[in-house]
Structure formats: structure tokens, C-alpha cells
Amino acid sequence: MKFVVNFLVLLLMSGCFFSTKAQSTLEQPSDARMEWWRDARFGMFIHWGLYAIPAGEWNGKTGYGEWIRHSARIPIETYDQFQSRFNPVKFDADTWVKTARDAGMKYIVITSKHHDGFCMFNTEQTEFNIMNTPYGRDVMKELSAACHKYGLKFCFYYSIMDWHHPDYLPRREWETDRSTDSADFNRYVSYMKAELKELLTQYGEIGVLWFDGEWEATWSENFGKEIYTYVKSLQPDIIINNRVGAGRLDMEGMIREGAFGGDFGTPEQQIPPTGLPGTDWETCMTMNDHWGYNKANTEYKPAKELIRMLTDIASKGGNYLLNLGPTDQGTLPKQAVTRLREIGWWMSVNGESIYGTVASPLVSTPWGRCTMKDNKDTVILYLHVFHWPDNGRLLVEGCMNQPLKAVLLAKPGKILEVSQHDDKITILLPAKAPDKINSVVRLTVQGPLDITNPPEIVAFNDFFVDRTKIELLTNRPNVEIRFTGDGNDPVDTSFLYSEPLEVMGDVTVKARCFRDGKPVSGTAVRKFKMLSPLAPKNVRNPEPGVEYQYYEGDWDSLPDFARLTPVRTGILPSFSFDPRSDKEHFGFSYKGYILIPKRSIYTFSTESDDGSQLYIGSKLVVDNDGLHGLRRKEGSIGLTAGFHPIRVLFFEKTGSDVLNVFIQSPDLPEQLVPQEWLVHEK
Ligand code: FHN
């Protein structure tokens, strides 16, 4: 109570906080084996196989990729015929490798075997391989030689999932004609090991084994550890991704707590929102919308976007594995080549700001991104300027290091004027940016690194009911946090924070770190707003469960269910799919009341594949609509204790289908909405 009173008194004057809790930050694990990979930062992903022959088209549909055999439900006998047509007569390993090298890429990861089971290398383990095609050449041997010739690391992608091998289970659910009687998964694992031995003993040094297709129930953590150990026994210095295990959290690419994670995480088609201290990770991404060649998909990401993504990833301490899908003729799509050429030009000037760098020590870089080389006695900060300042003044906050020199990498001979006031370093830039996509300033400062980011203003939510607790945190030793509650910037005489406080009204909190009376960080700002909670509804005869309406249809977003006729209706204990009859093309509308235990702010979230929405009363609290893989979105609302109307909408198009509905409040740990809280009116 003391601090609430103190705070109220201080808030009237301008507020006060108390606490400087250290946050743990894991150091990057130093490992000679990972060194080349961490330095490389940028690699080429290649998806090439029989699927390049249909090139995304089947029965008049053109939206397929490397999954075409499954997605278009092509019988194995039909698909296998592609083997007798595979003849990439225009393939030239040197051309491919030089294209990667000239783009600034340091390694190539290529599909030795994708899910279709076709082996793009000379294997003794199956006839279903490239040597038994009109082409009859081992392209992996040629690429390996070219990589070793031009100084790139040669790496293999290898799919655990195999839609061709008779011992692999499960079959595709539509392949009811393929017997599983004699299938022996352990024998399949032995087949895998025999192929991996060929890949790891016949193609020279392999930089990375990039496993994939590990998500089906037949694969296990134990298999993963067995294969990891086996691969390392063949090439001890090889690097292996986390998809060898069974613990990956879908496309975000990191592993569940305690799961076996190989050597690095594998976010796919996404970039983690922040750096992942102490973790090696690599984002893999397509240039268009497909991994394998799709001739109709001519929309490729512009080079500007690709360069800025490379920079963003490096600024967070990750690698960028950028994909292209070659044609059945063995050529690289021209749209990909033109983009790689533009990336190469940028890298030829600015590559040092990517290679061998580590994550930015600065949290706030509104003008772009930062990468770093910390040589202890001197530190190099690479300031990647996406947005050239109109006033020509580039500001770096929170750095107490003495600036030694600043130059543009595009004009290294011209020294830029640099000044420093407290934690603020200002660099005077020329009127025109040398590169409209990303101009890099190399700022060299005296070590050791002395950078302090603004304090973290921690609270359950920006909104609250009645009161909320706020903490101000920093991981910096020998600093103090000073703050205000009236919107003014903190100064050395502002209130000192030492313990959490409670806020009972709208307030703008500003906080900054100080040392010996001088500011050493930028200022953190966060606005808090008190909400009036929704009043409860009177429910005369509450009965357990929610009402559901089950629909069937083909949608790309949530339909207006009110305009449709449900296939089935009834009561369910929670938001489940039990009554559905089809695994695809269906939707649900659930409605009822949720019994809220206490007056508070509540955060709801839906985790769904495909789209979902959650309403409380007439308010759309969570909008997670659209065609997407497993994705989670949240929203908050103030509620009083009692019954509140809840409505959840969901649709599934094709593929996997998931709906989870979570609830959380300052006093309620995040959890699936308890079934006993859900009722409907009898
Ligand atoms: O199913 C594969 C897909 O075809 C592609 O190989 C990507 C690349 O990382 N991995 C899987 C999807 O997550």
C-alpha cells in the first residue's frame, strides 16, 4: 500500500518506480564447428527434383510446387514416370555455384531427396534415382566439385518423410491402394542411414545436413538422436539442423523446451521478431511462393525486400537461407537470377557489415538496423540506414563508448563528422544516400562495449481494469532508472525506481537509465489506459457447453455463416471439431456464455489453422482470419465477474486443421478456456 500511496502522490507530481532487476542474457555458445556458419550469414537453398517437370501444373491447376504428388493426389505409378523424362540438359554446376558466389552467398543447401523420395544423387539403395534417368549424371557430384572449386560450403537437404519408399509410414491418406502390410519403419531408418553414408562419404566435406519432413508421428526424438550421432560419426565437423529431431514448434522453427534441437533453429518463411540470444538460427525463405519450380509463379520478392530481410536477420544474429527452384532443363529462373545479381552488387560494397557480424546491441534503431563486430578494444557498429534522415543527422542512443571514426562503406575514404553528448552519438551524413535500399555507416568506437538500452516497462497489458502493476527492468549493472508519469522526459532529478508500483489511472510512463547523474540510455515510453469493464449478462438457465453450427464449403476466409445453412447443429463441451464429417473444407460457429470469475482485464487468443475469430458480446476481440498455417493472435477486454456472451468462428480449407482458444489475466496463467466456464442458455 505504501508504494501505491507513494506512487499516487508522486504521480500527481510526476510519478515514481523502484526496481532494477537484472535479466539473464545467454552468451552465444563459442564452437569452432559453428564458426564458418555463423560468419557466413547467407546461403542458397535449392529445391530441385522430378517435380520441376510438371512445374506446378496438374490437371489444369497451376498452384502446385514440390508437394505436387501429394497435393494433386498423383498415383505413385504415374508420378514415377517423370523419372524417364528427367533430362536437365542445360544444367551447369559452375554456373549455379558462381551465381550463388556472386550474390555473396557462402553455402548451398540442395535437396538430395525431397518428400517424393526421388534421389538426386547416385545411390545404391534404390533405383529411384537420377542415374536412372535420360540424364544419367550425378548432379550432386558436379555441384560438390564446383562448390569446392569456388570456395562455397556444399550442404545437403534430406527429407525424413518419403512418399515413395515402401517401408515409410504413414502413407498419404488418399493412397488407400498402397499396402502397408510389409512396411517396416525401422528398415526405412536403416535405408536412410545407408543413403546418408553415401552422401557423407562420396561428396567430400559436407557443411550442413539439413533434415526436413520430421513432423509425422512415426518419427521420434530417439530416431533423431540416433541419426544425429550417426551423421556426426561420418563427418564430425558437420552441422545439423533441428529438424533431425521431433521437437520443432512448426514454422517458427525453434524447439519445444527440453526437446533435442540439433545445432540450429529453422524459422521458415518468417523472421523472429527479436534476436534469440544464445541461439543459432537460420530463416529459410522462398523468393516467390514456391520452393520447387512453378512456372506460373512469376511474382518474386523485389531485391530491396530481400536485401533488407538479409540485414534484419543478420541484425538479430541469424542466417538467411534464400531459396530458388531450378527448371526441369537445369536452368535457374531468370527472376531469381536478376535478384541475386542485385543482391551481389550490394554485398560487394557492404558484405563486411553482414559476414562475421553478431546481433545488434541496440534495441532501438528507428532509421534501420545494426550489426556488430566486437573486437573488445575497439567495437565496430554497422549502421544500416534504410531511412535516410532528412536533417542529415544519424542518431545512435545509449552508447557511452567514445566514437573513433565513421565512414560510409560506399565511400570509405570520406571521414564523417561525429559528435557525442552523454549517450547520444550524432553522425553528420551527406545529403544523398549512396544506396536507396540500405546505406551502411561503419562506426568504430573505443571498447569495451558500453551500450545501455532503454529500461523495459513491464506490465500485463497497456489496458487495465481498476489497477495494474508496472515494473521497470534493465540488464545493465551500475545504472539507476529514473522515470516520470506526466509525459516529461526523465532527468537526473526525476524519481528513482526501486520497486514495482501500482497505477490506478491513465498514465504515460517514461523511463531512462542514468549513471553518476548522467543519462546512459535512450528513453522508454509506454501509455497505460484504464478500461470500464463490460457488465455481465443475466443467463436464466445456464447449461454446460456451447451451441455449435457445423458448415461445409470452400472458403479462403471466414464466410458470413448467418447466410449459410448448417449441416449439423448441437451442443459441444468446448470448441472442438468432433461433429465434422470431412477433414477439409469445413467451418464452425460456436456461441454461448463464458463465466468470468473476477473483474479484470482478460487476454484471449486463438491458435488456428486456418482462420478464426473470437467475439465477446458484439466486440471482435481476436481476429485471426485468413488462409494460414498454425498461427496465434490475441486481443484484450475488460470484464466484470459473471456471464459474458462468447462467439468463436473457424474455417478450414485444406491440410492441417487446429483451433485452440486461450484465456489469461494478471491473476490467471494462460490456459485453454476451461470447459466448465462455458455454458449456453437452455
Ligand atoms: O514440406 C517442406 C517443403 O516442401 C520445403 O522443403 C520446406 C523448406 O524448408 N520445408 C517443408 C515445409 O516446412
Side-chain angles (χ1 to χ4, degrees):
M1 207 41 201
K2 168 168 66 75
F3 293 109
V4 171
V5 173
N6 282 357
F7 180 69
L8 276 181
V9 170
L10 295 175
L11 185 61
L12 292 176
M13 297 160 69
S14 70
C16 82
F17 299 76
F18 302 93
S19 161
T20 51
K21 273 187 200 157
Q23 283 173 311
S24 70
T25 52
L26 288 172
E27 291 305 316
Q28 284 280 356
S30 62
D31 182 335
R33 188 165 54 95
M34 298 298 291
E35 189 176 353
W36 74 263
W37 185 87
R38 291 172 181 154
D39 286 350
R41 287 284 172 252
F42 190 29
M44 179 184 276
F45 210 176
I46 300 176
H47 278 68
W48 196 34
L50 296 184
Y51 39 80
I53 295 173
E57 181 170 359
W58 194 258
N59 289 342
K61 290 187 176 180
T62 59
Y64 302 112
E66 69 292 345
W67 273 65
I68 191 166
R69 172 148 129 69
H70 172 60
S71 307
R73 300 192 174 192
I74 302 174
I76 193 165
E77 304 73 20
T78 305
Y79 189 85
D80 285 6
Q81 290 169 34
F82 287 135
Q83 183 171 7
S84 62
R85 293 172 49 192
F86 192 70
N87 192 13
V89 293
K90 294 178 182 171
F91 169 71
D92 178 76
D94 282 24
T95 301
W96 285 22
V97 174
K98 284 191 287 188
T99 301
R101 179 200 62 181
D102 297 347
M105 294 163 154
K106 295 295 186 182
Y107 58 107
I108 291 177
V109 180
I110 185 165
T111 47
S112 63
K113 183 189 76 142
H114 202 262
H115 310 333
D116 63 358
F118 183 71
C119 299
M120 292 290 284
F121 63 99
N122 181 7
T123 175
E124 299 299 321
Q125 313 311 318
T126 173
E127 294 302 309
F128 197 47
N129 76 68
I130 195 168
M131 305 312 285
N132 303 316
T133 66
Y135 194 62
R137 281 163 47 184
D138 187 344
V139 294
M140 297 301 161
K141 192 75 84 175
E142 296 175 30
L143 281 167
S144 166
C147 279
H148 288 91
K149 178 176 169 185
Y150 295 107
L152 274 71
K153 289 284 189 180
F154 183 59
C155 312
F156 283 125
Y157 166 110
Y158 187 89
S159 175
I160 293 163
M161 180 163 66
D162 188 315
W163 304 331
H164 190 273
H165 198 285
D167 284 331
Y168 181 82
L169 294 173
R171 296 280 188 265
R172 301 311 89 199
E173 74 275 2
W174 49 270
E175 280 195 302
T176 49
D177 59 335
R178 281 186 72 203
S179 164
T180 61
D181 293 350
S182 59
D184 177 336
F185 197 82
N186 287 314
R187 191 166 55 208
Y188 173 69
V189 175
S190 301
Y191 164 83
M192 273 181 62
K193 290 171 84 167
E195 290 206 319
L196 290 169
K197 183 171 184 177
E198 292 171 326
L199 292 170
L200 293 165
T201 57
Q202 296 171 14
Y203 296 89
E205 181 205 359
I206 303 302
V208 174
L209 234 168
W210 213 99
F211 286 98
D212 199 11
E214 86 290 3
W215 53 81
E216 296 194 302
T218 42
W219 194 249
S220 70
E221 181 108 324
N222 287 339
F223 279 137
K225 289 176 179 173
E226 178 187 342
I227 291 293
Y228 181 90
T229 305
Y230 179 67
V231 165
K232 291 289 292 303
S233 72
L234 296 170
Q235 291 213 17
D237 292 336
I238 198 166
I239 296 171
I240 302 166
N241 71 349
N242 66 357
R243 300 190 186 193
V244 69
R248 174 168 58 108
L249 290 167
D250 204 47
M251 296 304 172
E252 71 175 66
M254 309 317 282
I255 50 156
R256 274 191 294 277
E257 189 74 31
F260 176 61
D263 296 319
F264 64 91
T266 54
E268 180 169 324
Q269 302 285 37
Q270 58 187 274
I271 299 170
T274 62
L276 303 168
T279 306
D280 287 303
W281 57 276
E282 169 196 76
T283 280
C284 60
M285 197 175 280
T286 56
M287 268 195 240
N288 58 1
D289 299 323
H290 292 88
W291 299 100
Y293 179 59
N294 177 304
K295 60 179 177 247
N297 186 188
T298 55
E299 286 298 308
Y300 283 61
K301 297 177 180 75
K304 172 178 178 180
E305 185 179 345
L306 299 172
I307 290 168
R308 288 191 175 179
M309 281 201 278
L310 169 62
T311 307
D312 182 33
I313 289 166
S315 77
K316 293 168 179 171
N319 282 21
Y320 191 25
L321 189 62
L322 185 56
N323 181 79
L324 49 76
T327 69
D328 64 335
Q329 293 303 299
T331 57
L332 304 181
K334 62 182 184 305
Q335 300 93 331
V337 173
T338 51
R339 282 149 182 79
L340 289 173
R341 192 173 299 127
E342 194 168 344
I343 295 170
W345 291 331
W346 185 86
M347 287 294 274
S348 65
V349 173
N350 304 288
E352 72 168 85
S353 69
I354 301 291
Y355 302 131
T357 62
V358 295
S360 169
L362 298 166
V363 164
S364 170
T365 54
W367 28 262
R369 297 292 184 274
C370 173
T371 53
M372 176 172 74
K373 287 178 182 171
D374 184 349
N375 306 313
K376 302 310 177 204
D377 56 341
T378 60
V379 179
I380 298 177
L381 297 174
Y382 293 101
L383 311 176
H384 298 261
V385 186
F386 296 174
H387 315 296
W388 201 251
D390 295 337
N391 63 3
R393 302 170 70 81
L394 183 64
L395 176 61
V396 176
E397 283 192 302
C399 181
M400 297 304 282
N401 296 92
Q402 181 198 345
L404 302 176
K405 184 179 175 184
V407 297
L408 280 160
L409 292 186
K411 298 175 184 168
K414 181 166 176 23
I415 307 289
L416 301 175
E417 189 181 327
V418 189
S419 61
Q420 181 172 31
H421 175 67
D422 291 338
D423 70 304
K424 287 179 173 48
I425 291 178
T426 303
I427 301 166
L428 296 187
L429 298 176
K432 193 169 180 305
D435 189 305
K436 60 186 183 312
I437 294 175
N438 175 4
S439 300
V440 183
V441 173
R442 182 176 63 215
L443 171 64
T444 307
V445 298
Q446 186 62 52
L449 190 66
D450 184 5
I451 283 183
T452 303
N453 285 303
E456 199 182 347
I457 304 176
V458 178
F460 175 76
N461 198 298
D462 293 346
F463 300 100
F464 64 93
V465 170
D466 300 334
R467 61 185 62 214
T468 190
K469 176 180 145 188
I470 298 177
E471 291 182 285
L472 289 183
L473 304 178
T474 178
N475 59 3
R476 295 286 290 157
N478 75 333
V479 296
E480 56 188 29
I481 298 176
R482 296 203 173 254
F483 68 96
T484 64
D486 59 6
N488 290 320
D489 283 345
V491 294
D492 62 329
T493 55
S494 298
F495 291 97
L496 186 66
Y497 176 78
S498 68
E499 282 188 322
L501 58 99
E502 283 205 335
V503 170
M504 295 190 281
D506 294 3
V507 67
T508 297
V509 176
K510 286 191 170 185
R512 193 175 188 185
C513 293
F514 287 76
R515 186 189 300 147
D516 306 331
K518 291 171 69 91
V520 293
S521 83
T523 299
V525 184
R526 188 169 177 181
K527 293 181 185 296
F528 293 94
K529 185 160 186 53
M530 189 159 80
L531 297 178
S532 301
L534 286 184
K537 299 293 182 192
N538 176 31
V539 179
R540 285 185 301 282
N541 303 304
E543 290 282 329
V546 289
E547 296 173 55
Y548 80 86
Q549 295 175 323
Y550 167 70
Y551 300 84
E552 287 177 352
D554 188 354
W555 310 290
D556 291 333
S557 65
L558 280 167
D560 178 357
F561 287 120
R563 295 171 178 271
L564 304 176
T565 305
V567 171
R568 201 167 301 124
T569 64
I571 305 298
L572 285 170
S574 184
F575 310 108
S576 69
F577 297 157
D578 297 351
R580 70 163 167 210
S581 40
D582 193 340
K583 286 198 70 168
E584 307 194 322
H585 305 116
F586 66 90
F588 276 91
S589 168
Y590 307 90
K591 73 171 183 172
Y593 295 88
I594 181 169
L595 178 57
I596 291 296
K598 179 185 174 189
R599 172 187 170 97
S600 183
I601 183 85
Y602 287 88
T603 294
F604 289 89
S605 59
T606 66
E607 180 185 56
S608 69
D609 175 358
D610 287 299
S612 59
Q613 285 179 339
L614 183 146
Y615 290 81
I616 297 292
S618 60
K619 181 176 168 54
L620 174 58
V621 177
V622 180
D623 188 355
N624 194 2
D625 193 4
L627 264 185
H628 52 70
L630 190 62
R631 184 175 77 184
R632 187 164 181 165
K633 282 205 172 176
E634 67 179 44
S636 301
I637 186 169
L639 299 173
T640 52
F643 289 115
H644 292 267
I646 184 169
R647 202 155 48 95
V648 174
L649 309 176
F650 171 83
F651 86 95
E652 161 63 11
K653 190 177 180 76
T654 58
S656 60
D657 47 62
V658 176
L659 174 63
N660 293 313
V661 182
F662 298 93
I663 186 170
Q664 182 184 15
S665 80
D667 309 314
L668 180 76
E670 181 174 78
Q671 55 192 281
L672 289 168
V673 172
Q675 289 189 8
E676 55 274 17
W677 291 18
L678 295 171
V679 300
H680 65 283
E681 195 139 27
K682 190 177 179 182

